[in-house]
């Protein structure tokens, strides 16, 4: 499982760099044909990791439930975030992975409520969830990179 955590941190470093280097007007813009923006996708991976790993293990998530509710599957971006919200999510990109690794190594994940994802992958235990979460984050990184490319092209024209 060590490799899963390592790869997740590498993905989160890319997301953090995008979060910090993207101009705010582009971070929150939703191009035609898309439902969400770069900001929402970054916050969504944090929220989803907490749901997949902690909530389905009948454990209390490590982040506030209001953030989870705001960025869970099926939600849409609302108002642009405050600088404080951006800083919180930026920090959570790393701390949530570190906490999860510590909690995993300490053996706190003892039960899991089986869950079938929207891609029809059945998660039966926390190890399945950790592996699927990495896949999920990769999908959203791809969306973010696509959004970034479209927004930069629009800005240039």
């Amino acid at each position: 499982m060590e490799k899963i955590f390592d790869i997740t941190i590498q993905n989160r470093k890319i997301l953090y760099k995008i979060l910090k280097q993207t101009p705010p007007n582009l971070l929150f813009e939703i191009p035609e044909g898309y439902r969400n923006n770069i900001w929402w996708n970054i916050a969504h991976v944090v929220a989803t990791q907490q749901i997949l790993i902690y909530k389905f293990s009948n454990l209390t998530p490590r982040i506030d439930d209001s953030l989870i509710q705001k960025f869970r599957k099926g939600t849409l971006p609302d108002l642009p975030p405050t600088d404080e919200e951006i800083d919180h999510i930026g920090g959570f990109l790393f701390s949530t992975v570190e906490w999860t690794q510590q909690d995993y190594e300490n053996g706190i994940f003892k039960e899991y409520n089986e869950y079938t994802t929207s891609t029809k992958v059945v998660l039966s235990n926390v190890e399945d969830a950790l592996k699927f979460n990495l896949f999920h984050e990769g999908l959203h990184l791809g969306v973010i990179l696509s959004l970034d490319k479209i927004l930069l092209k629009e800005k240039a024209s």
Side-chain angles (χ1 to χ4, degrees):
M1 295 309 296
E2 180 75 28
K3 187 54 90 174
I4 294 291
F5 293 113
D6 290 345
I7 295 169
T8 303
I9 285 291
Q10 293 309 313
N11 190 65
R12 297 283 182 103
K13 286 178 182 177
I14 296 166
L15 295 175
Y16 184 81
K17 183 177 178 183
I18 292 167
L19 179 65
K20 292 301 184 179
Q21 292 182 352
T22 303
N25 62 315
L26 297 182
L27 198 59
F28 314 128
E29 188 173 333
I30 303 173
E32 189 174 329
Y34 284 80
R35 296 182 58 215
N36 295 305
N37 53 32
I38 293 171
W39 160 250
W40 183 90
N41 277 276
I42 291 172
H44 172 73
V45 301
V46 171
T48 300
Q49 185 257 10
Q50 292 290 289
I51 294 167
L52 291 173
I53 309 303
Y54 286 88
K55 282 199 172 206
F56 291 156
S57 294
N58 296 325
L59 296 169
T60 302
R62 297 289 214 118
I63 66 171
D64 191 85
D65 195 59
S66 64
L67 277 176
I68 293 172
Q69 295 308 315
K70 188 173 183 176
F71 297 107
R72 64 184 293 159
K73 180 172 71 173
T75 62
L76 297 171
D78 53 11
L79 302 173
T82 64
D83 289 342
E84 183 180 36
E85 285 179 297
I86 293 171
D87 288 342
H88 273 103
I89 293 297
F92 286 147
L93 283 170
F94 301 107
S95 60
T96 53
V97 179
E98 292 162 0
W99 293 330
T100 303
Q101 184 170 8
Q102 289 169 358
D103 290 341
Y104 182 80
E105 290 168 356
N106 289 332
I108 74 160
F109 300 103
K110 302 207 181 299
E111 52 188 79
Y112 197 84
N113 298 312
E114 190 170 274
Y115 175 72
T116 303
T117 70
S118 56
T119 57
K120 307 295 184 243
V121 175
V122 177
L123 308 179
S124 300
N125 54 52
V126 73
E127 289 81 11
D128 290 350
L130 287 163
K131 292 170 188 171
F132 180 80
N133 183 68
L134 188 55
F135 166 75
H136 175 260
E137 290 194 17
L139 289 175
H140 281 278
L141 176 59
V143 169
I144 290 165
L145 294 174
S146 174
L147 284 164
D148 189 52
K149 186 175 182 177
I150 288 169
L151 292 169
L152 290 174
K153 186 185 277 187
E154 287 178 0
K155 183 180 174 186
S157 51

